[in-house]
Amino acid sequence: MNKIKNLVLILLVAAGLSVCAQQMPASTIVSTSAVQQPVQQNCALVNPIDLVARPNFYLNKNIKIKAKFDKFSTLGLDYKPAMKSSEKYISFLIQRPDVTDHNIPLSELKLFLNRTEAEKYIELNSGDIVEFSGKVFSTALGDPWVEVTNFNVISTKAKTETK
């Protein structure tokens, strides 16, 4: 009887291991030569409202967003459960795409950009179109927290002169 129990236990463990191996994405299996250079990850184009509505769905996934820039900020920096240091990062806000008659920032989405990279875009204005990609690294406070790795300006608003 013990031999049957042991055999069943071994079969269950083996079946569990094979299921885990089948679900493991190929990108997690890395050769030693691939570790030296970062691999360009596929990014899913995401609607920011969907990201905010379902942050756990996107956790640990690479995403890409095209949106209206709102402003650079310090929102979420140095928050211990999802730590991004204010010495190394700056956060930024995008405008809510579901509101067209006012400029309202999507503050539920925490976006972090390396300060060195952000300094290249100091002239951005509210309403400029940007596209960025990164990884959702946390869902602290029920919000998506994204480390932005690529940031591009698509278009800028025409500047209006004031007298």
Side-chain angles (χ1 to χ4, degrees):
M1 190 68 168
N2 282 338
K3 288 182 180 181
I4 294 174
K5 285 182 183 178
N6 287 339
L7 182 60
V8 169
L9 181 61
I10 290 170
L11 289 173
L12 287 173
V13 170
L17 290 174
S18 68
V19 168
C20 288
Q22 289 174 357
Q23 292 178 350
M24 184 180 297
S27 63
T28 59
I29 302 170
V30 183
S31 70
T32 54
S33 62
V35 171
Q36 296 171 349
Q37 293 185 0
V39 178
Q40 181 66 19
Q41 299 288 331
N42 292 334
C43 296
L45 188 58
V46 174
N47 179 321
I49 297 299
D50 186 45
L51 177 58
V52 168
R54 302 184 310 147
N56 288 324
F57 177 79
Y58 293 100
L59 183 61
N60 296 318
K61 292 185 181 173
N62 295 307
I63 60 159
K64 181 185 276 189
I65 294 175
K66 184 176 179 181
K68 285 185 180 180
F69 177 82
D70 191 63
K71 65 183 148 235
F72 287 107
S73 170
T74 58
L75 183 68
L77 291 169
D78 299 321
Y79 179 64
K80 289 186 182 186
M83 185 62 174
K84 289 295 176 193
S85 168
S86 59
E87 293 177 7
K88 187 174 179 185
Y89 292 91
I90 188 75
S91 61
F92 66 95
L93 296 166
I94 60 172
Q95 294 178 6
R96 293 188 67 92
D98 57 343
V99 178
T100 56
D101 57 344
H102 292 88
N103 292 335
I104 300 176
L106 186 61
S107 59
E108 301 92 332
L109 179 55
K110 311 303 190 274
L111 301 165
F112 302 93
L113 184 61
N114 185 294
R115 281 190 177 271
T116 306
E117 182 69 14
E119 288 173 358
K120 299 175 188 175
Y121 303 103
I122 199 72
E123 297 295 321
L124 277 176
N125 291 303
S126 181
D128 290 348
I129 305 297
V130 296
E131 183 176 69
F132 55 91
S133 58
K135 185 173 187 172
V136 179
F137 69 92
S138 177
T139 57
L141 302 173
D143 294 339
W145 298 61
V146 180
E147 181 172 353
V148 174
T149 52
N150 293 310
F151 188 92
N152 295 303
V153 177
I154 304 300
S155 65
T156 56
K157 287 179 20 179
K159 308 251 191 279
T160 56
E161 290 185 32
T162 56
K163 293 182 181 183

